């Protein structure tokens, strides 16, 4: 065995040899914690934005359905039976949309069906309604008459 001085010298050098590994582990641990924190916040922001956009689109469809149903109540002959059927189907799809369960597998299917029905109604009525980031608008205000 070596002298006690040799063991003390070896211990000093051992800690300096492990310095890189120690700092690597500390850096990884700190980076992971920071990434986890910022990832949660980023996910929250993306979720809020996506939820807002979805709500805006669903509200747009609800408004269109309500206006079309009001027109039908005032004059049942104002729209063809095909348009009335599509408006009714849109209303049913909108009621079926799982608002409180955004992870439901049917969300994308219901939304796509709503979009298709909406385009069908607009095409039949020869109107061009669009939803942009700020709200609904007509492509050409002269083309919004029924």
């Amino acid at each position: 065995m070596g002298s006690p001085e040799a063991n003390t010298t070896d211990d000093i050098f051992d800690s300096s040899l492990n310095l890189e590994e120690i700092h690597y582990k500390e850096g990884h641990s700190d980076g992971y914690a920071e990434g986890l924190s910022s990832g949660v916040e980023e996910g929250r922001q993306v979720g809020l934005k996506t939820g807002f956009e979805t709500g805006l689109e669903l509200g747009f469809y609800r408004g269109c359905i309500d206006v079309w149903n009001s027109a039908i109540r005032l004059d049942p002959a104002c729209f063809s039976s095909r348009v009335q059927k599509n408006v009714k189907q849109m209303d049913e799809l909108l009621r079926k949309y799982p608002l409180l369960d955004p992870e439901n597998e049917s969300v994308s299917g219901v939304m796509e069906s709503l979009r298709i029905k909406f385009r069908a109604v607009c095409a039949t009525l020869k109107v061009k309604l669009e939803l942009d980031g700020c709200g609904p608008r007509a492509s050409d205000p002269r083309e919004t008459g029924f």
Side-chain angles (χ1 to χ4, degrees):
M1 270 191 110
S3 68
E5 289 179 11
N7 285 343
T8 306
T9 308
D10 288 343
D11 289 344
I12 292 172
F13 290 121
D14 282 344
S15 65
S16 66
L17 291 174
N18 293 330
L19 194 58
E20 182 180 357
E21 186 177 336
I22 291 168
H23 287 296
Y24 173 81
K25 287 180 180 178
E26 286 178 4
H28 180 271
S29 177
D30 291 347
Y32 182 82
E34 180 64 30
L36 188 61
S37 173
S38 66
V40 166
E41 181 57 31
E42 185 179 331
R44 182 178 173 275
Q45 293 301 320
V46 169
L48 283 171
K49 182 179 184 285
T50 303
F52 177 79
E53 290 168 353
T54 300
L56 185 66
E57 186 173 0
L58 292 173
F60 171 70
Y61 294 142
R62 169 52 55 210
C64 291
I65 291 166
D66 289 349
V67 167
W68 292 329
N69 279 330
S70 292
I72 292 167
R73 278 192 299 277
L74 289 173
D75 180 9
C78 70
F79 298 137
S80 68
S81 60
R82 180 178 172 193
V83 169
Q84 290 184 34
K85 178 183 171 189
N86 282 333
V87 169
K88 183 178 179 183
Q89 288 173 341
M90 275 186 73
D91 193 22
E92 290 168 0
L93 284 167
L94 197 56
R95 291 178 195 281
K96 223 168 63 167
Y97 190 89
L99 282 174
L100 301 177
D101 187 13
E103 294 181 17
N104 188 312
E105 294 177 11
S106 69
V107 166
S108 60
V110 171
M111 186 61 88
E112 188 56 32
S113 296
L114 269 167
R115 289 175 181 143
I116 290 168
K117 289 291 178 190
F118 176 75
R119 285 192 299 265
V121 171
C122 287
T124 306
L125 294 176
K126 296 183 176 90
V127 294
K128 293 182 182 178
L129 299 174
E130 296 175 351
L131 177 67
D132 64 13
C134 299
R137 67 180 173 87
S139 295
D140 183 352
R142 294 171 296 210
E143 296 181 14
T144 58
F146 296 133

